Amino acid sequence: EAQVTQNPRYLITVTGKKLTVTCSQNMNHEYMSWYRQDPGLGLRQIYYSMNVEVTDKGDVPEGYKVSRKEKRNFPLILESPSPNQTSLYFCASQEGGGPGPTRRAYEQYFGPGTRLTVT
Amino acid sequence: AQSVAQPEDQVNVAEGNPLTVKCTYSVSGNPYLFWYVQYPNRGLQFLLKYITGDNLVKGSYGFEAEFNKSQTSFHLKKPSALVSDSALYFCAVRDTSNSGYSTLTFGKGTMLLVSP
């Protein structure tokens, strides 16, 4: 089954304790992205990757890191989490990572979400 | 900069009645438009998209959307609502005007509540 998986699904942690949220896709998609969802703000992009070893900042990258060492995995790293990073996080993947109108036409596939609480 | 507006935080409709969830957009060039649905405790699921061609686009679960370039709108519609359609709906847009990477920008979401 084609899917995007995230782990953990739920996480409660304390300020300053480094954490990693994993994301994996089995569709051989070039493009992957991380979003956070907050009430009244919709989804905002944190980081994206157009291919292995190619990552770039989205709209709200502060306090986050990512890496793309393999095509299927795109972990989100919070080096020193703070309470304002309490949110619902979604990983997504998409066929076709590069620029150009054809690649922009593809839809994204989302993981089930990770609810993070930082106290 | 591109943007999406979903003017209604919540839409209430009775089962069996038609429903409309509104979306307007702003881009520099031509848009690629998408609708996604989020059921409780689930990720977003793709419903339909407009890329080019016929302004009326049909998607999953009986949903359709009409692209109106003059009004810069892409409203989501369904002729007869089901209680199971109750969910959070997101409109999203991508700009096609430049040659580089174009991010997918989401609206804030509209909660659809269908009453029995």
Side-chain angles (χ1 to χ4, degrees), chain B residues 4 36 40 42-43 54 56-57 59 63-64 67 79 85 90 109 112:
Chain B
V4 175
Y36 289 84
R42 302 284 296 275
D54 194 345
L56 185 63
V57 178
F63 284 93
E64 58 189 28
F67 171 63
D85 292 330
F90 289 97
L112 174 65

Side-chain angles (χ1 to χ4, degrees), chain B residues 59-72:
Chain B
S60 307
Y61 313 122
F63 284 93
E64 58 189 28
E66 186 167 12
F67 171 63
N68 187 318
K69 188 171 185 177
S70 63
Q71 297 186 6
T72 62

Side-chain angles (χ1 to χ4, degrees), chain A residues 9-10 31 35 37 40-43 45 48 50 88 90 94 99-102 104-108 110-112, chain B residues 32 34 36 38 41-44 46 49 51 88 90 94-104 106-108:
Chain A
R9 293 290 311 278
Y10 301 91
Y31 175 92
Y35 296 90
Q37 182 182 10
L41 296 177
L43 273 77
Q45 191 176 47
Y48 64 92
M50 289 199 283
L88 180 58
F90 288 103
Q94 177 190 314
T102 300
R104 294 178 208 159
Y106 295 120
E107 61 269 21
Q108 293 189 4
F110 284 80
Chain B
Y32 288 160
F34 303 81
Y36 289 84
Q38 184 181 23
N41 300 313
R42 302 284 296 275
L44 277 73
F46 168 74
K49 65 182 176 184
I51 303 303
L88 185 59
F90 289 97
R94 261 209 178 104
D95 196 343
T96 64
S97 63
N98 56 58
S99 60
Y101 172 73
S102 175
T103 192
L104 185 63
F106 287 85
K108 295 181 179 180

